[in-house]
Amino acid sequence: AQTVTQSQPEMSVQEAETVTLSCTYDTSENNYYLFWYKQPPSRQMILVIRQEAYKQQNATENRFSVNFQKAAKSFSLKISDSQLGDTAMYFCAFMKQGGGADGLTFGKGTHLIIQP
Amino acid sequence: DAGITQSPRHKVTETGTPVTLRCHQTENHRYMYWYRQDPGHGLRLIHYSYGVKDTDKGEVSDGYSVSRSKTEDFLLTLESATSSQTSVYFCAISAPGPSDQFFGPGTRLTVL
């Protein structure tokens, strides 16, 4: 079984600053996918970014990028030029390759607050 | 946005009553999932379906059953609701293979 750990229950930064959210995971799988989801106060789960474990290049989506360290089983999310609309819960999630039918394993989340 | 709807969006019920939550998709995706979200636990998988009439248990399946008679609908049933099943329930869909999961808007269920 896989486990996903997010060690920061809450973080707060000023608008326009850069913030990094941490995620570590434990698995015996060699091929898998990692995700970051955002959940704003509306409660909608929004996919932010995906990383395939077989890719060495870190994924980037506009202001969002990841630092994927496979050997360390670490998958952090960096948000650059943070905006008020980035205030949300952020969840790290794991999925086995070929395990789409098995669903995602989520961390407990980090509540990110962007201060004006 | 992926075409996923959940009904009802909010429900208050009493202990011991049966409850059915519905997830409906217009994307024709093969895989569908039910998760529950509780404070301090993130989202946990209840049941999933990998095709019509093909379902399996997830991490927290006790007290829940599911059915999928059509590609577009995935039903979650609480046969006899308990207060421990008070939660927010999310449906998700994905295509086979290494595919992203997309989530519905969620249903807030309160069992008194």
Side-chain angles (χ1 to χ4, degrees):
Chain A
Q2 291 69 230
T3 60
V4 177
T5 302
Q6 294 180 247
S7 59
Q8 305 151 311
E10 185 170 290
M11 297 184 69
S12 179
V13 299
Q14 296 294 122
E15 191 177 8
E17 290 183 346
T18 294
V19 59
T20 299
L21 309 183
S22 301
C23 173
T24 58
Y25 59 94
D26 189 24
T27 183
S28 59
E29 303 285 333
N30 189 50
N31 297 313
Y32 48 87
Y33 302 87
L34 296 163
F35 305 84
W36 279 98
Y37 279 86
K38 171 185 177 181
Q39 186 180 43
S42 67
R43 203 170 65 198
Q44 180 69 49
M45 292 290 289
I46 302 166
L47 178 63
V48 174
I49 200 164
R50 176 204 328 110
Q51 175 76 43
E52 293 87 345
Y54 62 84
K55 290 186 177 179
Q56 292 188 335
Q57 186 173 6
N58 290 322
T60 299
E61 290 287 342
N62 301 314
R63 298 182 295 108
F64 298 87
S65 61
V66 299
N67 182 4
F68 173 51
Q69 302 290 328
K70 190 173 183 180
K73 296 181 180 175
S74 171
F75 182 60
S76 61
L77 174 70
K78 185 172 80 171
I79 305 174
S80 303
D81 186 27
S82 58
Q83 302 173 359
L84 297 179
D86 295 333
T87 292
M89 285 291 295
Y90 287 81
F91 293 96
C92 179
F94 173 101
M95 183 176 76
K96 296 187 296 184
Q97 184 179 25
D102 296 339
L104 294 163
T105 300
F106 284 88
K108 295 182 178 181
T110 296
H111 185 205
L112 176 63
I113 301 169
I114 308 299
Q115 304 277 7
Chain B
D1 290 344
I4 313 168
T5 57
Q6 293 184 230
S7 58
R9 295 291 312 279
H10 300 87
K11 186 172 181 65
V12 180
T13 191
E14 294 189 350
T15 297
T17 59
V19 176
T20 295
L21 308 183
R22 179 183 184 236
C23 177
H24 178 79
Q25 61 147 329
T26 59
E27 305 296 320
N28 202 35
H29 281 346
R30 181 179 169 188
Y31 294 161
M32 298 185 75
Y33 313 82
W34 278 107
Y35 294 87
R36 61 178 287 174
Q37 182 179 22
D38 305 291
H41 287 280
L43 279 77
R44 293 178 292 175
L45 183 66
I46 305 171
H47 280 280
Y48 60 92
S49 169
Y50 45 95
V52 174
K53 298 186 179 178
D54 291 324
T55 64
D56 208 343
K57 296 178 180 180
E59 177 188 357
V60 291
S61 60
D62 287 349
Y64 302 95
S65 62
V66 290
S67 65
R68 191 169 178 200
S69 59
K70 298 184 291 185
T71 297
E72 58 266 35
D73 290 326
F74 192 32
L75 303 181
L76 176 71
T77 297
L78 292 65
E79 300 289 349
S80 178
T82 67
S83 59
S84 65
Q85 293 176 312
T86 291
S87 188
V88 179
Y89 292 85
F90 284 95
C91 174
I93 65 173
S94 73
S99 178
D100 299 336
Q101 284 192 22
F102 298 98
F103 285 79
T107 293
R108 180 176 293 279
L109 175 67
T110 302
V111 184
L112 301 176

